[in-house]
Structure formats: structure tokens, C-alpha cells
Amino acid sequence: MAGSGGLGGGAGDGQNAGPGQGAALRAPRAPLLLVALVLGAYCLCALPGRCPPAARGPAPAPAPTEPPRAARRPGTLGLPVASGPGRRRFPQALIVGVKKGGTRALLEFLRLHPDVRALGSEPHFFDRCYERGLAWYRSLMPRTLDGQITMEKTPSYFVTREAPHRIHGMSPDTKLIVVVRNPVTRAISDYAQTLSKTPGLPSFRALAFRHGLGPVDTAWSAVRIGLYAQHLDNWLRYFPLSHFLFVSGERLVSDPAGEVGRVQDFLGLKRVVTDKHFYFNATKGFPCLKKAQGGSRPRCLGKSKGRPHPRVPQAVVRRLQDFYRPFNRKFYQMTGRDFGWD
């Protein structure tokens, strides 16, 4: 795997066997093959799932060849935008990142609002299903009434180079929400999730660094995702900073009502979801909903949320903190908010 202290790649290690060393070098092949298989399994677990099926229901009437100008929205590539009551619409807002930052919690909290309709699954349209077309994407969305907001979340959009251009093509007015978290903690959480699915994975340290505690391996996605400033640079080529809201994953745990209040303001919604909707679950270590949407009992996120993290040596944590520090500071400057990770 390529890796370095920055974003540049590095060459793989190589050794030349001298005379008489062939037998000595042949012996380790089985362990090396086992490591290769485990790493391959990790890569497969990191891939997004299949494209979701389109929503069932009667097929919509075919759109006219040249839809009326009033039915269009800038950047929708000529597709008519559903504007009547109970119609499927393109999302006006997207939660675009980041993985293991708290995106699922935020989406579930927002779904308590009567004027928010959100797709429950991650469609992965702008990163891996784009060839299916915007009409297919819109068919996935829940039906909304006038005045309601359609949303979806796919955290991998934030780190997908093509996503900003594609989303801008759908609508340059799209509001973008990014939930961010201390990149070191986020990387460990990412690793814990994969470890739960792939027992026998190499240690966090072995994946995060080359040659023991050598250069940080930015080819590993768990490390690369936390380079928030570099990913944001790509998005700012297409959207102004005013189209973004950066949500603190840490404050989403310590003050969920406050962070959700900021999101409601950003979306132009009345602050309906407030502190009366939350209680702190000491066992899981994060807030839960006192009453789920459409239900009568308190509800927490799934059992996979709040899983314990593996122990990571402090030397490894300090090295990663040092590595991320300049990227974090640039991110604070770009967003105008100090997230307090350093």
C-alpha cells in the first residue's frame, strides 16, 4: 500500500534474495498470503452496497419533450422538477459526510421534524450509481408536500472527487451538511466497524503506518477520510461556503438539541426538534430519542452504534494527532469554526 506523511504515494518494499536464500524466503509465503486475504476482505467491506431499487408504484406519465420553463430548476439538466402536492422531488439538502461522524444520528433526529422527509437508506447515487440517471434518483425519494424538504444522506459523497460537480449539475442551490468528528477518533471508529465484520484484521497500527511507526499511510481510507480540508477544497470549486453547514459530531452527542437547532435554522425550518426530544443513554454513551417518529416508545440507534473501540497505543494516537494537526487548523480557517480537536 502506498503511504506517506502527506498525500503523496510511496513505493512498496522489495528485497532481492541472494544465493542460498530461496528456501528461507519461501517459508513465509503462507502467512503473507493470509495477510493479503484479510486485507482484501477489508477492502471489500469498505465498498458501498448495491444501488437501491427504485420506489414501487405506478409509472409516472412521460415528461414532455420540452417541459415548461416554470417547471425547471437551474442545473437539473432539463428534467422537470416535481412541484405538486405528494410528489417525488430532488433533494433540496444532502448530508454528504462524513462516515462515522454521526450522520445516521443526525438524519434520525431530523426525521422527527414534520417538514423533513428523508430517504432512510443511502442511495450512493453521486458516487457509484450516477449512470442510472437523475430520473431514477428522483424515483427513490419519498413523496413530499409543498413546503416540506426532501433529504438523503450518503457520507461517502464528501470524499468522492466527482460528487460536487454531479450535485451541482442536479441543482447549484443544494444545501450541504457535513458532520465532522475528531479525525483520530473517527479513524479508530471506522476501524472498529470493519473489525466487527472482518475478525482477524491487522492491527490499527499496522494499517495506519508503514514500517511500524513510519510515515502515515494516507492510502488507507480510514486515515484519508479525516483530511477534511483537502476534501473541502474540492467542494469549494463548485459551491460557495454559504451552502455548507458543518456539524460537530462531538456536540451532536453532548448537545444534540443545540446542533440540530443549527441544522433546522440552516434549512429554514422552525425549531421543532428541541431538547424535549432527547435523553442521554449512559450505556451506549450517546443521546437517544424519547419518542421515535410515529412511535410511542423511546428509541436508540441500532446496536452497531456506540460499539466499544479497540485499544490503540497512546504512541499511535499521538502520532496521528500530530499528523492531522495542520490539516485541522486549515479546516478551522476554511470553515470559520474551531472544533477543538487539537
Side-chain angles (χ1 to χ4, degrees):
M1 297 197 314
S4 68
L7 279 179
D13 295 330
Q15 291 182 349
N16 295 321
Q21 292 179 325
L25 289 176
R26 281 195 295 271
R29 286 183 178 176
L32 288 176
L33 179 60
L34 177 61
V35 171
L37 289 172
V38 171
L39 288 175
Y42 178 87
C43 293
L44 287 174
C45 285
L47 291 174
R50 295 180 179 179
C51 300
R56 294 182 179 180
T65 305
E66 187 65 24
R69 185 174 301 274
R72 295 185 183 184
R73 184 174 297 170
T76 55
L77 305 180
L79 284 171
V81 177
S83 57
R87 302 290 298 276
R88 303 187 194 279
R89 312 166 194 258
F90 291 119
Q92 298 101 315
L94 298 171
I95 300 176
V96 298
V98 298
K99 179 184 178 185
K100 307 308 298 178
T103 59
R104 170 56 59 184
L106 177 61
L107 185 70
E108 293 304 313
F109 296 163
L110 288 174
R111 291 175 80 177
L112 291 174
H113 200 293
D115 289 334
V116 171
R117 296 298 310 281
L119 184 64
S121 60
E122 297 176 3
H124 285 279
F125 176 66
F126 294 106
D127 59 350
R128 70 180 309 264
C129 301
Y130 192 65
E131 71 283 353
R132 298 212 173 186
L134 282 166
W136 174 84
Y137 178 56
R138 187 173 63 189
S139 75
L140 302 177
M141 298 301 140
R143 295 183 179 275
T144 55
L145 302 173
D146 288 336
Q148 292 183 318
I149 290 178
T150 303
M151 295 185 65
E152 67 110 327
K153 86 158 182 89
T154 304
S156 53
Y157 290 163
F158 191 61
V159 298
T160 300
R161 179 162 292 276
E162 300 83 7
H165 172 68
R166 291 170 175 177
I167 293 171
H168 188 273
M170 177 187 71
S171 172
D173 299 322
T174 306
K175 294 185 176 183
L176 306 164
I177 300 169
V178 189
V179 187
V180 290
R181 182 183 183 188
N182 184 319
V184 178
T185 310
R186 196 222 65 81
I188 296 172
S189 180
D190 195 335
Y191 173 79
Q193 181 184 55
T194 308
L195 185 63
S196 70
K197 301 175 183 178
T198 316
L201 198 66
S203 70
F204 180 86
R205 169 177 172 167
L207 293 170
F209 301 97
R210 297 180 64 219
H211 313 300
L213 277 179
V216 174
D217 192 348
T218 56
W220 187 31
S221 64
V223 169
R224 188 174 63 253
I225 289 172
L227 301 174
Y228 304 141
Q230 298 204 353
H231 301 307
L232 181 57
D233 263 335
N234 182 44
W235 284 83
L236 292 178
R237 295 169 56 203
Y238 300 93
F239 291 94
L241 193 62
S242 60
H243 281 224
F244 291 85
L245 179 70
F246 300 95
V247 175
S248 166
E250 287 83 7
R251 287 189 60 81
L252 201 56
V253 172
S254 64
D255 181 21
E259 284 299 283
V260 173
R262 293 180 62 242
V263 178
Q264 291 173 97
D265 293 345
F266 176 69
L267 296 176
L269 298 171
K270 182 180 178 181
R271 287 200 176 197
V272 171
V273 184
T274 63
D275 53 5
K276 69 181 181 182
H277 290 94
F278 302 100
Y279 75 96
F280 189 81
N281 185 305
T283 302
K284 281 185 167 287
F286 57 75
C288 298
L289 300 173
K290 289 183 178 178
K291 183 178 178 181
Q293 183 185 31
S296 58
R297 294 185 302 173
R299 187 176 71 86
C300 286
L301 297 180
K303 62 181 181 180
S304 65
K305 305 300 180 182
R307 64 168 63 86
H309 289 178
R311 288 194 61 183
V312 176
Q314 278 303 305
V316 171
V317 173
R318 286 192 296 269
R319 277 290 311 280
L320 281 177
Q321 288 172 337
D322 292 342
F323 167 76
Y324 279 120
R325 188 167 293 111
F327 296 101
N328 292 344
R329 289 176 177 172
K330 182 180 178 183
F331 185 65
Y332 300 164
Q333 292 174 350
M334 294 172 76
T335 61
R337 183 176 183 184
D338 186 336
F339 289 88
W341 299 325
D342 302 302

